[in-house]
Coordinates of all heavy atoms in Angstrom, one line a residue:
I783 N -16.2 -72.9 -0.7 CA -16.6 -73.1 -2.1 C -16.3 -74.6 -2.5 O -15.3 -75.1 -2.1 CB -15.9 -72.1 -3.0 CG1 -16.3 -72.2 -4.5 CG2 -14.4 -72.2 -2.9 CD1 -15.7 -71.1 -5.4
Y785 N -16.0 -77.0 -6.2 CA -16.0 -76.8 -7.7 C -15.5 -78.1 -8.4 O -14.7 -78.9 -7.8 CB -15.1 -75.7 -8.2 CG -13.7 -75.6 -7.6 CD1 -12.6 -76.3 -8.2 CD2 -13.5 -74.8 -6.5 CE1 -11.4 -76.2 -7.6 CE2 -12.2 -74.7 -5.9 CZ -11.2 -75.4 -6.5 OH -9.9 -75.3 -6.0
F790 N -11.6 -76.2 -15.6 CA -10.8 -75.1 -15.1 C -9.3 -75.3 -15.3 O -8.8 -76.4 -15.1 CB -11.1 -74.8 -13.6 CG -12.4 -74.2 -13.4 CD1 -13.4 -75.0 -12.8 CD2 -12.7 -72.9 -13.7 CE1 -14.7 -74.4 -12.5 CE2 -14.0 -72.3 -13.4 CZ -15.0 -73.1 -12.9
K849 N -27.2 -63.5 2.3 CA -27.4 -62.7 1.2 C -26.2 -62.8 0.2 O -26.3 -62.9 -1.0 CB -27.6 -61.2 1.6 CG -28.0 -60.3 0.4 CD -29.4 -60.6 -0.1 CE -29.9 -59.5 -1.1 NZ -31.2 -59.8 -1.6
I862 N -19.4 -74.6 -10.1 CA -19.0 -73.9 -8.9 C -20.2 -73.8 -8.0 O -21.3 -73.4 -8.4 CB -18.4 -72.5 -9.1 CG1 -17.1 -72.6 -9.8 CG2 -18.3 -71.8 -7.8 CD1 -16.5 -71.2 -10.1
S868 N -19.3 -66.5 5.7 CA -19.3 -66.0 7.0 C -18.5 -64.7 7.1 O -17.7 -64.4 6.2 CB -18.7 -67.0 8.0 OG -17.4 -67.4 7.6
D872 N -11.1 -59.4 11.2 CA -10.3 -58.5 10.2 C -8.9 -59.1 9.9 O -8.3 -58.8 8.9 CB -10.2 -57.1 10.8 CG -11.5 -56.4 10.8 OD1 -12.4 -56.8 10.0 OD2 -11.6 -55.3 11.5
H875 N -7.0 -65.0 7.7 CA -6.4 -65.2 6.4 C -6.6 -66.7 6.0 O -6.2 -67.6 6.7 CB -4.9 -64.9 6.4 CG -4.3 -64.7 5.0 ND1 -4.1 -65.8 4.1 CD2 -3.9 -63.6 4.3 CE1 -3.6 -65.3 3.0 NE2 -3.5 -64.0 3.1
Y905 N -7.2 -96.7 -13.4 CA -6.0 -97.5 -13.1 C -6.3 -99.0 -13.4 O -6.8 -99.7 -12.4 CB -5.4 -97.3 -11.7 CG -4.0 -97.6 -11.5 CD1 -3.0 -96.8 -12.0 CD2 -3.6 -98.8 -10.9 CE1 -1.6 -97.2 -11.8 CE2 -2.3 -99.2 -10.7 CZ -1.3 -98.3 -11.2 OH 0.0 -98.7 -11.1
T928 N 11.2 -84.3 0.1 CA 11.8 -84.0 -1.2 C 11.6 -85.0 -2.2 O 11.3 -84.7 -3.4 CB 13.4 -83.8 -0.9 OG1 13.6 -82.7 0.0 CG2 14.1 -83.5 -2.2
S932 N 7.4 -82.1 -6.4 CA 7.7 -81.8 -7.8 C 9.1 -81.1 -7.9 O 9.5 -80.4 -7.0 CB 6.6 -80.8 -8.4 OG 7.0 -80.3 -9.6
T943 N 4.2 -82.5 7.9 CA 3.7 -83.5 8.9 C 2.4 -84.1 8.3 O 1.5 -83.4 8.0 CB 3.4 -82.8 10.2 OG1 4.6 -82.3 10.8 CG2 2.8 -83.8 11.2
G964 N 0.4 -79.4 5.9 CA 0.6 -78.7 4.6 C 1.2 -79.6 3.6 O 1.7 -80.7 4.0
N968 N 2.4 -80.8 -6.0 CA 2.2 -82.1 -6.6 C 2.4 -83.3 -5.6 O 2.4 -84.5 -6.0 CB 3.0 -82.4 -7.8 CG 2.4 -81.8 -9.1 OD1 1.3 -81.3 -9.1 ND2 3.2 -81.7 -10.1
I984 N 4.8 -103.6 -8.9 CA 5.9 -103.3 -9.8 C 6.9 -102.4 -9.0 O 8.0 -102.1 -9.5 CB 5.5 -102.5 -11.0 CG1 4.8 -101.2 -10.7 CG2 4.6 -103.4 -11.9 CD1 4.4 -100.3 -11.9
R985 N 6.6 -102.1 -7.8 CA 7.6 -101.5 -6.9 C 7.4 -102.1 -5.5 O 6.3 -102.2 -5.0 CB 7.3 -100.0 -6.8 CG 8.3 -99.2 -6.0 CD 7.9 -97.7 -5.9 NE 8.0 -97.0 -7.1 CZ 9.1 -96.4 -7.5 NH1 10.2 -96.5 -6.8 NH2 9.1 -95.7 -8.6
G1009 N -8.1 -87.3 -10.5 CA -8.6 -88.1 -9.3 C -8.4 -87.4 -8.0 O -8.8 -87.9 -7.0
L1012 N -9.5 -81.7 -3.1 CA -9.3 -81.0 -1.8 C -10.6 -81.2 -1.1 O -11.6 -80.6 -1.4 CB -9.0 -79.5 -2.1 CG -8.9 -78.7 -0.8 CD1 -7.8 -79.2 0.2 CD2 -8.6 -77.2 -1.2
K1014 N -11.2 -81.1 2.6 CA -11.5 -80.2 3.7 C -10.3 -79.4 4.1 O -9.1 -79.8 4.0 CB -11.8 -81.1 5.0 CG -12.4 -80.3 6.1 CD -12.9 -81.3 7.2 CE -13.5 -80.5 8.4 NZ -14.6 -79.6 8.0
E1018 N -9.0 -73.3 13.1 CA -9.3 -73.3 14.5 C -10.2 -72.1 14.9 O -11.0 -72.2 15.8 CB -7.9 -73.2 15.3 CG -8.1 -73.4 16.8 CD -6.7 -73.4 17.5 OE1 -6.0 -74.3 17.3 OE2 -6.5 -72.4 18.3

Side-chain angles (χ1 to χ4, degrees):
I783 184 175
Y785 49 87
F790 286 107
K849 188 69 172 177
I862 291 180
S868 58
D872 290 343
H875 197 287
Y905 199 78
T928 298
S932 170
T943 299
N968 278 352
I984 60 175
R985 185 188 290 274
L1012 175 56
K1014 188 171 180 62
E1018 190 175 292

